[in-house]
Amino acid sequence: MAAENDKSRLDDAARAGWLYFIAGHTQDEIAKMLQVSRASAQRLVSLCLAERLITFRLEHPIAACMELAGRLKARFDLAHCEVVPADLAAPQATAGIAERCANLLDATLRSETPVIVALGTGRAVRAAVERVTPIDRPNHQIVSLVGNISADGSASFYDTVGRLADRTGARHYPMPLPFLMSSEDERNKMVRIEPIAKVKAVAAKADLRLVGIGQMDQKAQVHVDGFVTRDELFEMMRLGAIGEITGWAYDAKGRLLKAGTNKRLTSIPPEVPAKAATIAAVVGAAKVPAIAAALKGGLINGLITDEATARAILER
């Protein structure tokens, strides 16, 4: 019993440490979230430090998170799964998953053997790249999976390839195309242009694909960020789209649609089923149907999410 109490105490300390050092909450806020006194919250943060549960990154595997990750791996036959503590005060916050994605990128990029990392777009992916430890790896390659020009000609704020190349010295391959072309025929012509074909060839050999997942509703990121119009979004919803990965819309069974904007999309399509490590970084209740569908359809074989999102997926 004493051992169980000690383990529970360390779990609480690790959770408090994560909320304080990673999510940036005050001790008063942590006390309210953990339903303890401020003095207890302070002691838990101190214990986290004293036991070296946290250094620059969270080192203590919180039991509840590990259990959820194990269940997700077993149910969906995942090669990689990490679940971070939920930030109840900011359920859409990406700080926790960005930190774990950065850890994954760091581990991949430390390799002396040349590796290829392919990146989608999104808030979590960008935040992860900003946390990557600078390292000199000129033999690595960083490649974009997504056309990074919106309908008005502006570049995507969430394009991450150049930033990661800056931090690693790696060669990088952006996708200098509009997200959508005006027609399927125009798309087919553009992706056959030699420089674009070379980018696609590099992406096809990627050792790691890190992507986001977007829901397909009125708050869909591809619409909010200006890549598809309201009419295009509603058309995809009528066709049964429930989520998208690198712009590729799919239905509730994880099947890529063969109509609508998918016919004009320049992004590199997901492998079906995913063979190379294809890991989605995503949180939020609104995205649960899209995440579940991507898992069912084998569009991803890895997931980094938070407790609340993990539980919601498992309860479907």
Side-chain angles (χ1 to χ4, degrees):
M1 181 64 73
E4 290 181 5
N5 289 339
D6 288 345
K7 185 174 183 298
S8 177
R9 184 73 171 166
L10 290 177
D11 282 356
D12 291 341
R15 192 177 300 274
W18 185 90
L19 290 168
Y20 187 77
F21 292 104
I22 305 298
H25 291 291
T26 66
Q27 292 180 1
D28 284 333
E29 291 170 335
I30 294 168
K32 291 178 182 178
M33 281 184 258
L34 299 184
Q35 297 182 322
V36 298
S37 67
R38 187 184 187 284
S40 293
Q42 187 176 20
R43 285 194 294 271
L44 287 170
V45 172
S46 296
L47 178 62
C48 180
L49 286 173
E51 294 292 330
R52 297 187 60 80
L53 305 181
I54 192 167
T55 53
F56 177 70
R57 300 192 190 282
L58 184 63
E59 299 293 348
H60 179 78
I62 295 172
C65 293
M66 289 192 67
E67 189 265 341
L68 289 168
R71 289 171 61 191
L72 285 167
K73 285 185 75 172
R75 178 177 295 188
F76 297 105
D77 192 26
L78 299 178
H80 183 95
C81 186
E82 294 189 61
V83 176
V84 305
D87 184 351
L88 300 180
Q92 305 300 321
T94 59
I97 63 169
E99 183 264 337
R100 298 314 300 162
C101 288
N103 189 64
L104 173 66
L105 287 170
D106 277 346
T108 303
L109 295 166
R110 279 197 297 268
S111 171
E112 295 286 350
T113 303
V115 297
I116 300 174
V117 175
L119 298 175
T121 60
R123 291 152 180 80
V125 175
R126 180 179 173 86
V129 167
E130 294 296 334
R131 288 167 167 78
V132 168
T133 305
I135 187 172
D136 186 33
R137 288 292 186 269
N139 291 329
H140 293 343
Q141 297 176 84
I142 315 297
V143 61
S144 178
L145 295 169
V146 187
N148 63 354
I149 302 173
S150 59
D152 64 2
S154 62
S156 169
F157 175 76
Y158 300 106
D159 183 44
T160 53
V161 170
R163 182 60 175 152
L164 187 55
D166 287 343
R167 301 181 80 81
T168 59
R171 295 185 67 183
H172 68 289
Y173 302 82
M175 182 72 75
L177 286 176
F179 185 77
L180 290 175
M181 303 304 295
S182 60
S183 68
E184 182 180 8
D185 183 60
E186 185 179 26
R187 188 276 307 271
N188 292 341
K189 289 177 181 177
M190 291 300 293
V191 298
R192 285 197 294 266
I193 294 174
E194 186 175 359
I196 304 302
K198 288 181 178 178
V199 172
K200 290 169 67 72
V202 173
K205 297 183 288 185
D207 300 287
L208 170 66
R209 292 185 174 201
L210 184 62
V211 299
I213 290 179
Q215 76 266 32
M216 295 296 279
D217 58 22
Q218 295 188 47
K219 295 183 179 180
Q221 287 80 9
V222 288
H223 173 55
V224 172
D225 293 341
F227 289 102
V228 303
T229 67
R230 182 174 179 272
D231 289 343
E232 288 168 335
L233 172 64
F234 285 0
E235 178 192 15
M236 296 306 287
M237 291 170 64
R238 286 192 295 270
L239 290 169
I242 198 168
E244 56 85 14
I245 293 176
T246 62
W248 288 89
Y250 54 87
D251 65 16
K253 293 184 178 180
R255 299 173 299 195
L256 296 178
L257 300 182
K258 298 180 180 179
T261 54
N262 278 8
K263 298 180 75 173
R264 299 186 284 117
L265 191 66
T266 61
S267 303
I268 295 169
E271 292 181 311
V272 185
K275 298 181 180 67
T278 305
I279 299 174
V282 55
V283 296
K287 296 188 177 184
V288 167
I291 302 168
L295 290 166
K296 290 175 187 174
L299 299 177
I300 57 175
N301 55 23
L303 179 65
I304 298 176
T305 190
D306 71 0
E307 287 175 281
T309 308
R311 287 197 181 95
I313 294 167
L314 290 166
E315 288 169 0
R316 287 181 64 82

